[in-house]
Amino acid sequence: MIAGRRFPMHAGLALPPAACGSSSDRSLRSCPRRPFRKGAIGHAITSMLVLLLLAAPALAQIYPTKPIRMIVPYPAGGVADVSARIVAQKLGESLGQQVVIENRAGASGTLGANAVAKAAPDGYTLLLSPGDFVTMPTLLPPMTFDPDKDLVPITMVSRNPLLLVANTGAAFGNVKELLAAAKANPGHIAYSTPGNGTINHLAGEWFAIEGGVKFLHVPYRGGVASANGVAAGDVPFGVVSPSSGAALVDAGKVKVIALTGAERPSFAPADWPTLTESGIPVDVVLWNGLFAPAGTPPAIVNKLDQEVGRILRDESVRKLLNAAGIEASAVSQAAFVELIHKEAARYTRTIEKTGIRVER
């Protein structure tokens, strides 16, 4: 009701006044409709697109209006968890909303990733995780989502090699001695990892095949448990993340044999050799990235990319990460997507080369 005027139910049909507006002997059904003006649909679609483009910056300006949930698909204490907690605190301060960490471990990281893939694409549920589910999908349990279609990469957060650490009582103290012990006891020298199908597992098998030996793989539930297994002497050595092993290294409970990456990170002492320097051509790097559900508005993805990148370039944040054995890596979204594709192709070749298999 506007200004006392009543609109008929068929007002949208635009009836011709002479034939259909006043004659009582004509039914509504017999009245012809006015044809659409030429180009009317095109103009309407164009107008909608313009409105959407104008709305995108406004959406980024008001986001977020409530707390953000950041899911880490591994137990507390690992490199993903530590990275997430440092970044989440700074991101919350920057955005003016709390960023809550939720550890949802299980199924080699795919349980938490699946929860994010199935979440509403509104920017309020994010995933901070290693990229195993996109770079090594054949080594993981069957997934109920398609990582290429159901998740959007936002930015890389950290990138660093893994550590080969040994129990302080182990008979070997370097790569050469470890390989000699493994050759003398084929299949009996055990090593720990955070689980089957992890990047640590791939690094261990790649190391074995390049060294011409056979190790016994012992999977644990998470990186901290894996490192503690080495410190306790349950296994003689392990492939652990720097954040999982740093405290044990500092306490003298484990010793570093080598780094799995070709490049030494800024936090690594000069006496930690890389496997490449030790004559073993292995280059495995653990990275953690930030992801959102597919369909998340590009304006929000772009805002998160810029904010997290700015945080990771902050020297105080870099020092916090380095203290935990983590190298900050502020890689933009476009570069991150390209890197994922390259790593997936490289690890596919490596998996075929090592013959590594995980029961699915």
Side-chain angles (χ1 to χ4, degrees):
M1 186 80 68
I2 301 180
R5 183 178 174 184
R6 199 176 213 173
F7 284 87
M9 294 297 293
H10 55 269
L13 296 177
L15 309 177
C20 301
S22 58
S23 176
S24 60
D25 60 350
R26 292 179 180 270
S27 67
L28 179 63
R29 192 170 295 173
S30 66
C31 296
R33 297 188 183 188
R34 182 189 301 171
F36 282 111
R37 288 176 299 162
K38 186 177 181 180
I41 295 178
H43 289 316
I45 293 174
T46 301
S47 299
M48 286 178 63
L49 291 175
V50 170
L51 288 173
L52 288 173
L53 289 173
L54 292 174
L59 179 64
Q61 287 177 0
I62 64 173
Y63 168 84
T65 59
K66 61 181 181 180
I68 297 170
R69 182 175 55 145
M70 185 180 288
I71 292 179
V72 176
Y74 289 96
V79 62
D81 179 71
V82 174
S83 300
R85 292 182 188 279
I86 292 174
V87 170
Q89 180 180 347
K90 294 295 183 180
L91 184 61
E93 293 171 1
S94 173
L95 297 177
Q97 289 288 345
Q98 186 179 14
V99 180
V100 181
I101 301 298
E102 179 182 329
N103 294 92
R104 190 176 293 193
S108 299
T110 61
L111 187 65
N114 178 69
V116 177
K118 301 296 175 62
D122 53 11
Y124 290 98
T125 303
L126 305 175
L127 173 73
L128 198 148
S129 170
D132 298 0
F133 57 88
V134 285
T135 57
M136 306 186 305
T138 59
L139 295 187
L140 300 181
M143 293 181 281
T144 58
F145 68 100
D146 185 335
D148 290 326
K149 296 179 180 178
D150 298 334
L151 289 170
V152 175
I154 297 176
T155 186
M156 183 183 289
V157 173
S158 64
R159 179 179 174 87
N160 45 260
L162 300 167
L163 305 179
L164 289 185
V165 297
N167 179 271
T168 52
F172 43 83
N174 56 48
V175 171
K176 183 178 180 180
E177 292 174 351
L178 171 56
L179 292 177
K183 287 176 181 178
N185 300 277
H188 287 86
I189 303 295
Y191 75 97
S192 68
T193 72
N196 281 315
T198 59
I199 191 75
N200 310 60
H201 186 190
L202 178 63
E205 293 305 303
W206 191 357
F207 171 42
I209 196 169
E210 294 294 345
V213 299
K214 179 68 176 177
F215 295 122
L216 174 63
H217 178 227
V218 180
Y220 280 70
R221 286 181 60 84
V224 174
S226 171
N228 286 336
V230 178
D234 297 331
V235 287
F237 85 101
V239 185
V240 305
S241 68
S243 63
S244 297
L248 296 173
V249 173
D250 292 341
K253 295 183 177 180
V254 298
K255 53 189 177 184
V256 177
I257 293 177
L259 301 165
T260 64
E263 297 180 6
R264 182 178 286 100
S266 61
F267 61 80
D271 60 350
W272 290 5
T274 66
L275 283 174
T276 301
E277 291 170 343
S278 301
I280 306 298
V282 171
D283 181 17
V284 176
V285 176
L286 171 68
W287 57 258
N288 282 278
L290 190 64
F291 298 82
T296 300
I300 290 178
V301 171
N302 184 57
K303 183 171 184 175
L304 288 168
D305 178 18
Q306 292 179 347
E307 289 295 325
V308 174
R310 182 187 59 77
I311 289 167
L312 292 171
R313 286 188 290 272
D314 185 285
E315 189 60 29
S316 64
V317 173
R318 299 179 77 87
K319 287 181 178 178
L320 282 174
L321 290 168
N322 284 348
I326 301 169
E327 187 87 332
S329 180
V331 174
S332 66
Q333 191 202 20
F336 186 28
V337 171
E338 183 179 356
L339 182 142
I340 288 174
H341 291 154
K342 288 182 178 179
E343 291 247 311
R346 184 165 73 95
Y347 284 138
T348 296
R349 292 193 298 269
T350 303
I351 290 167
E352 293 173 350
K353 180 179 181 180
T354 61
I356 184 174
R357 292 289 181 270
V358 174
E359 201 172 306
R360 294 167 63 89

